[in-house]
Amino acid sequence: MLKSREELDAELGGAARAWLDEALAEAAHDAEAAHDAEAAHDAEAAHDAPRPGASPFASPPWELRYAAAGRRCGPEHADSVRSLLLVAARATLPSVTRLYEQGTAAERRAVLLTLHRLDLGPTALPLVEDALRANDTRLVAAAVGPYAADHLDPHAWRHAVLKCLFTEVPVAAIARLGERARGDAELARMLGDFAAERTAAGRTVPEDLRTVLGHARRTPTGPTTPGAAPGGVARTAPADADAHRATPTPAPAAPAPTEES
């Protein structure tokens, strides 16, 4: 979980706090410089314009601080420090893309965790999609946060849920899971297929799948869909087979009475 500046100040040592003060001041200064450039030029042209007085090939100082956050403030605080830097700098799409593409897994994770705090709209979705293709569960967990909940289309979001189940990322990491999964019949179908594949392969069905399926079987207004089994998948065989076993064989019909002459 990302920590606030106040929480960091209470946990960081004096040298780390001083370093963070300088880093955030540089990030804020860079944001102001970018704002001034946009005010003086056409907004679209200024969006990717180099910072005043800076080489177009050089990274602004705060980006260098971003990479050093773990070393200067401790790896346990690195995500929070990097997130604060991105917000203070009002990081643009070129900045977050550069930091993601050139960064370590930890630096990429901090970008993903902060996307919803930046004014980027859906433009950073390629970064989320890239993380969801990875096998690094830390990146997958970060990719399904609030930004994905806000911007992934239903098809991509369903596959993100399945990615979490497949890689054993706890579904608690999925932002607004109950809201987005509620009443999603297609998601319920996909989960059923996934459970059937696991069962056929002799593997257990994860409890998290049952949790998601429970949401998907609920109606948009909240109550459980009539006839749905609470808690999701509870079977180890296909539904049709269960239904066949559960249906009693009807007794033979009694012969019709004949009229007596």
Side-chain angles (χ1 to χ4, degrees), residues 8-9 17 35 81 84 93 97 101 130 143 148 150 226:
L8 286 173
D9 282 345
R17 285 198 305 272
H35 176 75
V81 169
L84 288 175
L93 181 62
T97 301
E101 292 180 345
D130 178 82
D150 288 340

Side-chain angles (χ1 to χ4, degrees), residues 111-164:
V111 167
L112 295 167
L113 290 172
T114 313
L115 289 177
H116 67 289
R117 298 182 173 184
L118 305 173
D119 186 19
L120 298 174
T123 61
L125 275 175
L127 305 185
V128 172
E129 292 163 353
D130 178 82
L132 290 172
R133 289 191 294 268
N135 291 321
D136 188 329
T137 55
R138 297 171 302 169
L139 294 183
V140 174
V144 292
Y147 186 83
D150 288 340
H151 298 293
L152 277 181
D153 64 45
H155 177 77
W157 187 82
R158 292 180 191 117
H159 281 277
V161 172
L162 288 177
K163 177 76 173 189
C164 289

Side-chain angles (χ1 to χ4, degrees), residues 26-44:
E26 286 178 348
H29 179 270
D30 192 70
E32 287 302 318
H35 176 75
D36 292 343
E38 289 188 23
H41 304 86
D42 176 76
E44 183 177 354

Side-chain angles (χ1 to χ4, degrees), residues 5 74 212 214-215 219 223 242 258:
R5 175 68 188 281
V212 181
H215 289 301
T219 66
D242 276 358
T258 58

Side-chain angles (χ1 to χ4, degrees), residues 22-81:
E22 293 175 359
L24 292 176
E26 286 178 348
H29 179 270
D30 192 70
E32 287 302 318
H35 176 75
D36 292 343
E38 289 188 23
H41 304 86
D42 176 76
E44 183 177 354
H47 182 70
D48 294 324
R51 302 304 193 231
S55 165
F57 304 104
S59 297
W62 74 266
E63 290 190 18
L64 303 179
R65 300 267 194 177
Y66 183 93
R71 185 174 69 255
R72 301 305 296 265
C73 297
E76 69 275 22
H77 301 305
D79 282 345
S80 299
V81 169

Side-chain angles (χ1 to χ4, degrees), residues 65-251:
R65 300 267 194 177
Y66 183 93
R71 185 174 69 255
R72 301 305 296 265
C73 297
E76 69 275 22
H77 301 305
D79 282 345
S80 299
V81 169
R82 288 176 175 137
S83 182
L84 288 175
L85 284 171
L86 289 168
V87 173
R90 299 179 224 166
T92 62
L93 181 62
S95 288
V96 296
T97 301
R98 180 166 54 248
L99 291 171
Y100 181 89
E101 292 180 345
Q102 298 178 2
T104 63
E107 292 164 25
R108 291 183 173 198
R109 183 177 64 248
V111 167
L112 295 167
L113 290 172
T114 313
L115 289 177
H116 67 289
R117 298 182 173 184
L118 305 173
D119 186 19
L120 298 174
T123 61
L125 275 175
L127 305 185
V128 172
E129 292 163 353
D130 178 82
L132 290 172
R133 289 191 294 268
N135 291 321
D136 188 329
T137 55
R138 297 171 302 169
L139 294 183
V140 174
V144 292
Y147 186 83
D150 288 340
H151 298 293
L152 277 181
D153 64 45
H155 177 77
W157 187 82
R158 292 180 191 117
H159 281 277
V161 172
L162 288 177
K163 177 76 173 189
C164 289
L165 293 171
F166 183 77
T167 57
E168 299 183 352
V169 169
V171 297
I174 304 175
R176 304 207 328 258
L177 172 63
E179 174 189 334
R180 288 213 55 171
R182 188 179 300 276
D184 190 334
E186 176 61 14
L187 177 61
R189 182 196 65 77
M190 294 169 68
L191 293 170
D193 289 347
F194 180 75
E197 291 172 6
R198 300 273 297 194
T199 300
R203 303 177 67 184
T204 60
V205 176
E207 285 297 325
D208 272 356
L209 186 146
R210 297 178 172 89
T211 298
V212 181
L213 188 56
H215 289 301
R217 283 177 166 174
R218 293 181 182 275
T219 66
T221 55
T224 303
T225 303
V233 176
R235 298 186 288 261
T236 57
D240 289 344
D242 276 358
H244 177 74
R245 288 197 299 269
T247 303
T249 302

